[in-house]
Amino acid sequence: MHFCYICRGMTQRMIITFLLGALWAAGASAQTTRVRGRVTDAADGTPLQFVSVVFPGTTTGIVTDEQGIYALETRDLVSRVQASMVGYAAQTRTLTPGTFNHVDFALEAVEFGIGQVVITPGENPAHPILDGVIRNKPRNNPDLYDTYSCRTYTKMELDLTNIKPQFRSKRLQRNFGFVFDYVDTSALTGQAYLPAMISESTADLYRSSRPEFKREVIRASRVSGVENSFAVAQFTGGMHGDVNFYDNFIDIFNVRFASPLADGGRAFYNYFLVDSVVHEGRKIYKIRFHPKRLTTPVLDGEVNIDSATYALQSASARMPKGVNVNWIKHMMLENENRPTDSGSWFRSRDRVSAEFSISEADSSKLTSFIGTREVAYSDVRIGEPLPDEVLRMDNNVVVRDEQPAQHDETYWERIRPYSLSEKEKGIYSMVDSVQHVPLYRNIYTFINTVIVGYWNTKYIGIGPYYKLASFNKLEGFRMQLGGRTTTNVSRTVRVGGYVAYGTRDEDVKGGGSVELAFNRRLTRKLTLSARHDVMQLGAGQNALTESNILSSILSRGDQRLSMVNRGEAVYEHEWCHGVSTFAGARMQRIFANRYVPMLRPGGAPVNSVSDAAVSVGLRLSKNETVYRMPFDKQYMGSTYPILTLGFTAGIPDALSGSHEYYRLEAGLRYRPELPPLGYSDITVQGGRIFGKVPYLLLKLHEGNGTYFYDPYAFSCMNFYEFASDTWAALFWEHHFNGILLGRLPLIKKLKWREVLVCKGVWGTLSRQNNGALAGTEADLLFPVGMTSVSDPYVEMGFGVENIFKLFRVDCIWRLTHRDPTPGQDTQNFAVNLSLRLKF
């Protein structure tokens, strides 16, 4: 489920959400029969947990939570709701179809005139049924069929809740009064809500198990308020966020919930066979499941199992309170399946509803957001050969090149499996109207600046704001002003530049770039850039940039900046989804200063080092989710390893004094999921430099000069402490997701999560490049204290993340190279801070 991807790609949608949050507005879905209420004991008013609440005549139902609360929603025509529990008389109430109903039950206990009961130990009657489900997964789980294809219709809605009438000031009523006509009530929360975004898409979905792939062709898509919706359309289909109860773990918002139908489900849940009913001529077993503990992400609810085939007929599950998941106050999963004409079972409907909030307390009055995603399946074909054009597709999600203008309201009425309410249809025009209000545009500009880093006028973006002012030992106080063109100028060419000045070195710096995007769907992009500015050589990939104000505030004093003149051209060519090549050329001159000295072996100073090089690279991934924007893209991760290869060749005498060398590099990143023990982030890197080069062109191992944690740098290592021309490095983190701290009294209420960190590097230096040797043959002497790392460098530590849901603190110890070294302020222990926004 990718509401977060949509919000990330649609800054305008985010602005509407924040704007309506300022109004204290609210959100969910319409033209459904929605019912919510509480079930209590009639005698004393005690809330009753595990009460079965259903729409009679259907299998749509749920059990009450620990507070006796239930919530049901259906598009089927129903007029009654029933609550029942062993030991109590069942009650049925009448509903008003097509709207929200609040129905409370007060069940009365009944006495049974039965004789003596003898209880003997025996097998839980639910277990043989679940064993049958597990045995029959190969014939009932659609993802295990040889092939299938189907048509999907997906509707997603983002809404706001906790609307307060007293916040409708005269000014807000004057600017936005029309939006309050769309207020309704959510079954998920029982609160009023206001729609802020709606999207619809229709797609063809294809799946094969041999070879294994899943591909989706989005035939049409529209998102409220978005004209050019290609960047968003790839996330509006039915494939992203697929919920399959047959899987051992259900992945939602990057949180892996244990499935009630998992092969090892008994380790997580207690099961109860509560009833058997006949639905459409088939006998259905109703099995409730409740979590044994909340130390790992689990669910609570009910599954309905077909007695003849042991197939899942339907399921409803909610996230219980107390699970260590951030930002989600409520979540409901619903799934319905039907037998096809061939007898095989397939999904007919999936629905996911979640309330996102800063506070997870039910008493909170803060604005929260409700996301709803509903997928309807039709035209199911199982076991048929897939079209050749689908087999040749190089992307898991393909957005067809059709004109959105052809998809008018008549088209959507025709392809929808159900009709939208007038309020749902009106959301599109409502959101468009909001965008033309001046107050909205002002708030949009402010929030867009915070998120993107640039204050965008119509044609020019000014920024980034976090580089406007900073300070360091080389430059003193630094001031910078920059800008770049917006997509209103061009969606294929972007020009940017900046100018900066330091009060200590009294030097004017600057740089500029031109980006030419030839293709967005598969990246074909040329970037030309030039700069005269300071750089930190040997910084990690995720390090704070040199002129970032945070790098100044969090500096621990180990800054060794170098003035660099650099011109560069890089072309990226994405051949197919997951296969990209890079070609580039670079010319640079690195200047010496008091922090980065350059001396010949005889002691003669050198003013600068020149370098001219060409390079090629390759990046390979599989099933990786990529969010694409006009000039940038963001990799969202893959369940498979990601491989990178690079080759650089130095061109001798292309610049005065440039060197001939050859540099090979390789990297592998992998994030294996190990539920319920969490997940690991593993990165392995290695390389070799052939030829004689000055130490500035060696592999300068990644130090960390700040108190900010960098996962791809060594927290206790200084800049210019180690260098290599042959090296191998490992960066490993394991995130336990609170499985240990979640068992400790009091601590578990904080929902902290533990992290284990291990990093190490080994490398050697050939004699011609080792500037630390007496009588060295190297071009330049090493700075005092810099050596090879032939004795491996290792550091380990632990961290606690999810502190106040945002912060992470790591304690890292250096395990090797602990002895003091002249010229180095050896740090054997470091405390690092970082921000991590995770569910």
Side-chain angles (χ1 to χ4, degrees):
M1 180 167 168
H2 286 255
F3 295 115
C4 54
Y5 297 161
I6 290 180
C7 292
R8 184 177 303 164
M10 301 182 314
T11 306
Q12 288 188 341
R13 302 289 62 68
M14 295 179 68
I15 303 313
I16 290 178
T17 297
F18 280 106
L19 173 59
L20 298 179
L23 300 176
W24 292 75
S29 162
Q31 189 165 355
T32 58
T33 300
R34 287 158 285 135
V35 57
R36 178 184 171 88
R38 182 189 299 269
V39 182
T40 58
D41 189 310
D44 56 13
T46 304
L48 295 179
Q49 189 178 7
F50 307 142
V51 177
S52 177
V53 184
V54 300
F55 294 124
T58 74
T59 57
T60 302
I62 194 64
V63 294
T64 55
D65 63 16
E66 58 273 13
Q67 297 177 342
I69 300 295
Y70 74 93
L72 286 173
E73 188 168 347
T74 183
R75 289 186 181 269
D76 296 333
L77 184 61
V78 295
S79 59
R80 296 178 301 150
V81 63
Q82 182 183 78
S84 61
M85 185 178 186
V86 175
Y88 290 85
Q91 292 184 10
T92 303
R93 301 288 178 82
T94 301
L95 301 174
T96 301
T99 187
F100 175 79
N101 299 259
H102 185 94
V103 179
D104 292 332
F105 292 93
L107 300 185
E108 296 182 353
V110 296
E111 296 184 0
F112 298 94
I114 60 176
Q116 181 180 8
V117 176
V118 178
I119 299 176
T120 58
E123 185 177 20
N124 184 331
H127 289 173
I129 301 173
L130 294 168
D131 291 340
V133 173
I134 294 171
R135 285 195 311 271
N136 287 276
K137 281 185 180 181
R139 71 171 188 167
N140 293 325
N141 182 359
D143 288 350
L144 298 181
Y145 296 161
D146 288 340
T147 63
Y148 73 72
S149 63
C150 65
R151 177 70 52 84
T152 64
Y153 167 79
T154 303
K155 183 172 79 72
M156 292 194 287
E157 190 171 323
L158 185 65
D159 317 297
L160 293 100
T161 190
N162 276 341
I163 184 168
K164 300 298 176 183
Q166 60 267 32
F167 285 95
R168 302 185 188 183
S169 67
K170 292 183 178 180
R171 184 184 180 192
L172 296 179
Q173 283 282 13
R174 183 173 63 253
N175 285 278
F176 302 104
F178 61 91
V179 305
F180 294 102
D181 295 336
Y182 295 87
V183 172
D184 209 331
T185 305
S186 166
L188 181 68
T189 66
Q191 301 291 328
Y193 70 86
L194 182 68
M197 184 278 289
I198 187 173
S199 77
E200 296 178 278
S201 70
T202 179
D204 295 321
L205 186 62
Y206 302 90
R207 171 85 187 205
S208 170
S209 58
R210 289 186 298 270
E212 182 180 359
F213 69 80
K214 190 174 185 179
R215 288 175 185 154
E216 183 179 40
V217 179
I218 296 178
R219 302 167 57 246
S221 174
R222 67 172 179 172
V223 183
S224 55
V226 175
E227 296 179 2
N228 187 354
S229 60
F230 166 74
V232 180
Q234 57 186 321
F235 297 110
T236 62
M239 188 170 79
H240 287 290
D242 186 16
V243 175
N244 188 349
F245 278 85
Y246 286 112
D247 290 340
N248 289 329
F249 293 90
I250 300 172
D251 193 342
I252 305 176
F253 310 116
N254 291 324
V255 179
R256 293 174 68 85
F257 292 85
S259 171
L261 300 184
D263 295 348
R266 297 180 202 178
F268 301 97
Y269 298 103
N270 292 316
Y271 297 92
F272 305 91
L273 176 62
V274 296
D275 200 358
S276 63
V277 299
V278 177
H279 179 69
E280 297 181 351
R282 308 185 72 97
K283 183 179 180 180
I284 305 295
Y285 295 119
K286 300 180 75 67
I287 297 177
R288 294 182 194 167
F289 58 91
H290 306 299
K292 291 184 173 180
R293 61 190 68 87
L294 303 179
T295 52
T296 58
V298 287
L299 301 167
D300 191 349
E302 185 175 276
V303 292
N304 297 302
I305 307 299
D306 181 70
S307 63
T309 61
Y310 292 100
L312 175 66
Q313 190 268 346
S314 63
S316 60
R318 63 178 181 85
M319 185 184 74
K321 293 185 181 298
V323 172
N324 192 347
V325 176
N326 293 331
W327 317 113
I328 301 177
K329 185 186 292 187
H330 300 96
M331 186 179 71
M332 181 74 70
L333 310 180
E334 300 172 67
N335 167 258
E336 295 178 6
N337 303 278
R338 289 181 176 273
T340 62
D341 294 339
S342 64
S344 300
W345 286 77
F346 200 83
R347 304 179 185 94
S348 60
R349 187 182 74 97
D350 284 328
R351 180 184 174 87
V352 180
S353 301
E355 181 185 7
F356 306 94
S357 177
I358 295 176
S359 172
E360 295 165 20
D362 288 332
S363 60
S364 173
K365 302 302 182 183
L366 294 175
T367 299
S368 57
F369 313 104
I370 298 177
T372 305
R373 173 184 177 274
E374 187 171 3
V375 184
Y377 301 85
S378 61
D379 193 19
V380 178
R381 302 181 182 184
I382 298 174
E384 297 184 7
L386 301 182
D388 290 338
E389 63 176 329
V390 173
L391 299 176
R392 291 193 300 266
M393 287 179 181
D394 53 27
N395 199 339
N396 291 334
V397 179
V398 176
V399 181
R400 278 192 171 176
D401 292 321
E402 297 181 0
Q403 295 297 324
Q406 299 175 358
H407 303 143
D408 56 13
E409 187 59 35
T410 303
Y411 171 85
W412 288 103
E413 288 283 2
R414 186 176 71 253
I415 62 98
R416 290 188 191 113
Y418 48 79
S419 298
L420 299 184
S421 70
E422 292 304 316
K423 284 188 176 181
E424 285 177 313
K425 295 176 183 178
I427 294 175
Y428 289 99
S429 59
M430 182 268 286
V431 173
D432 290 336
S433 299
V434 167
Q435 294 182 24
H436 293 92
V437 176
L439 178 59
Y440 158 77
R441 291 201 298 268
N442 293 336
I443 298 177
Y444 166 81
T445 300
F446 172 75
I447 299 178
N448 182 71
T449 301
V450 174
I451 295 173
V452 178
Y454 285 79
W455 176 56
N456 285 330
T457 63
K458 184 175 182 180
Y459 298 113
I460 301 294
I462 300 173
Y465 64 84
Y466 50 82
K467 290 189 175 184
L468 292 175
S470 60
F471 51 90
N472 59 71
K473 293 188 296 185
L474 181 65
E475 298 177 279
F477 180 71
R478 173 188 170 110
M479 298 163 285
Q480 177 174 319
L481 182 64
R484 65 185 186 187
T485 58
T486 68
T487 53
N488 289 323
V489 174
S490 173
R491 302 186 69 87
T492 58
V493 180
R494 182 167 71 180
V495 179
Y498 72 94
V499 62
Y501 179 78
T503 58
R504 178 173 296 171
D505 63 358
E506 299 181 342
D507 191 4
V508 177
K509 301 96 174 173
S513 64
V514 178
E515 299 169 83
L516 306 173
F518 305 108
N519 192 318
R520 285 180 55 203
R521 299 178 182 240
L522 290 175
T523 303
R524 313 282 168 81
K525 178 183 173 183
L526 174 66
T527 303
L528 306 174
S529 62
R531 63 185 296 183
H532 166 72
D533 205 349
V534 297
M535 296 180 60
Q536 178 61 69
L537 303 180
Q541 299 176 14
N542 283 25
L544 295 174
T545 52
E546 294 86 359
S547 54
N548 190 320
I549 184 60
L550 286 179
S551 66
S552 301
I553 296 173
L554 297 175
S555 172
R556 61 180 177 88
D558 181 40
Q559 290 180 318
R560 299 194 183 187
L561 300 173
S562 299
M563 177 61 73
V564 179
N565 291 342
R566 175 180 290 183
E568 195 167 15
V570 178
Y571 176 69
E572 178 183 358
H573 191 104
E574 189 174 8
W575 299 92
C576 60
H577 186 73
V579 180
S580 295
T581 55
F582 306 84
R586 180 187 68 209
M587 302 181 74
Q588 64 178 344
R589 185 176 296 275
I590 307 169
F591 293 89
N593 59 55
R594 58 186 178 277
Y595 302 111
V596 186
M598 301 181 191
L599 300 173
R600 297 292 185 193
V606 176
N607 179 60
S608 63
V609 167
S610 298
D611 174 45
V614 293
S615 61
V616 292
L618 173 67
R619 188 181 190 276
L620 300 175
S621 65
K622 180 180 179 181
N623 294 349
E624 186 176 22
T625 302
V626 182
Y627 179 73
R628 302 176 187 273
M629 293 163 281
F631 297 99
D632 304 297
K633 62 182 177 181
Q634 184 171 358
Y635 296 110
M636 311 298 288
S638 171
T639 57
Y640 295 91
I642 298 172
L643 175 67
T644 57
L645 299 172
F647 172 74
T648 302
I651 304 174
D653 299 324
L655 290 176
S656 176
S658 61
H659 299 75
E660 180 181 6
Y661 64 92
Y662 304 95
R663 178 170 176 148
L664 289 171
E665 293 181 273
L668 185 70
R669 292 186 180 181
Y670 184 39
R671 178 178 167 168
E673 297 280 355
L674 304 169
L677 300 178
Y679 66 92
S680 285
D681 276 322
I682 302 172
T683 299
V684 179
Q685 299 173 349
R688 175 77 185 271
I689 298 174
F690 301 88
K692 184 177 181 179
V693 296
Y695 74 85
L696 295 154
L697 301 181
L698 292 172
K699 172 63 175 180
L700 301 175
H701 294 295
E702 298 86 349
N704 189 346
T706 71
Y707 293 105
F708 197 84
Y709 181 74
D710 182 354
Y712 305 112
F714 299 96
S715 297
C716 296
M717 184 185 293
N718 297 321
F719 293 123
Y720 294 100
E721 186 172 357
F722 298 107
S724 302
D725 55 20
T726 302
W727 70 94
L730 170 68
F731 302 91
W732 175 62
E733 293 182 6
H734 187 80
H735 300 253
F736 289 93
N737 286 341
I739 193 172
L740 303 177
L741 295 177
R743 297 175 183 268
L744 301 179
L746 300 181
I747 295 294
K748 64 181 181 182
K749 294 183 178 181
L750 300 174
K751 295 187 176 181
W752 289 353
R753 303 171 185 172
E754 54 284 294
V755 183
L756 182 64
V757 178
C758 180
K759 302 177 182 181
V761 60
W762 167 87
T764 61
L765 281 168
S766 60
R767 187 172 183 84
Q768 65 179 349
N769 286 325
N770 193 342
L773 297 177
T776 180
E777 303 173 6
D779 266 3
L780 297 177
L781 294 176
F782 281 3
V784 178
M786 189 169 84
T787 64
S788 74
V789 66
S790 55
D791 292 330
Y793 173 93
V794 179
E795 63 182 31
M796 292 187 66
F798 68 87
V800 176
E801 59 184 353
N802 208 44
I803 301 173
F804 302 116
K805 300 182 182 180
L806 284 175
F807 299 99
R808 170 174 164 178
V809 178
D810 287 89
C811 298
I812 309 294
W813 285 266
R814 181 194 287 230
L815 302 184
T816 61
H817 297 273
R818 294 178 57 88
D819 295 333
T821 302
Q824 295 287 345
D825 183 12
T826 304
Q827 182 179 226
N828 291 326
F829 173 72
V831 176
N832 286 169
L833 306 175
S834 58
L835 290 171
R836 298 178 68 90
L837 184 64
K838 298 171 60 177
F839 281 101

